[in-house]
Amino acid sequence: LTAAHPDVLLVVATQTGNGEIVADALAEQFGALGFAAHLLDAAEAVPEDLAASSQLVVVTCTWSNGTFPDNAVAFTEALDA
């Protein structure tokens, strides 16, 4: 991360909610360091959100046999398109 771009987009993909806990903690730490963290649920994210952001952190897990969490499937498919 660079202070030259103080906005940070955190995209959160979680099945059980643990990723959201981690993302909330990261956002708090980023705030303490002077960054403006913006949380975005992967279910609501579109590739254009990434283009509008100069700094990105993705918090995700794998689920079951290594698949993405349910709320990230559409987003990852959109990235592949």
Side-chain angles (χ1 to χ4, degrees), residues 55-72:
Q55 300 196 94
L56 171 70
V57 174
V58 178
V59 177
T60 189
C61 65
T62 56
W63 181 250
S64 185
N65 292 321
T67 59
F68 288 107
D70 291 343
N71 71 328

Side-chain angles (χ1 to χ4, degrees), residues 4 6 11 15 17 19 28-29 33 37 39 46 51-53 64 66 68 75 78-79:
V11 177
Q15 190 71 30
E28 185 176 318
Q29 290 299 313
L33 294 171
L39 293 170
V46 293
S53 179
S64 185
F68 288 107
F75 180 61
L79 290 175

Side-chain angles (χ1 to χ4, degrees), residues 20 27 43:
E20 189 172 358

Side-chain angles (χ1 to χ4, degrees), residues 2 5 8 13 15 18 22 29 36-37 41 47 51 57 62 68:
T2 175
H5 302 283
V8 179
Q15 190 71 30
N18 290 334
V22 171
Q29 290 299 313
D41 188 302
V57 174
T62 56
F68 288 107

Side-chain angles (χ1 to χ4, degrees), residues 12-38:
V12 185
T14 184
Q15 190 71 30
T16 62
N18 290 334
E20 189 172 358
I21 293 169
V22 171
D24 286 340
L26 282 173
E28 185 176 318
Q29 290 299 313
F30 289 153
L33 294 171
F35 292 93
H38 308 279

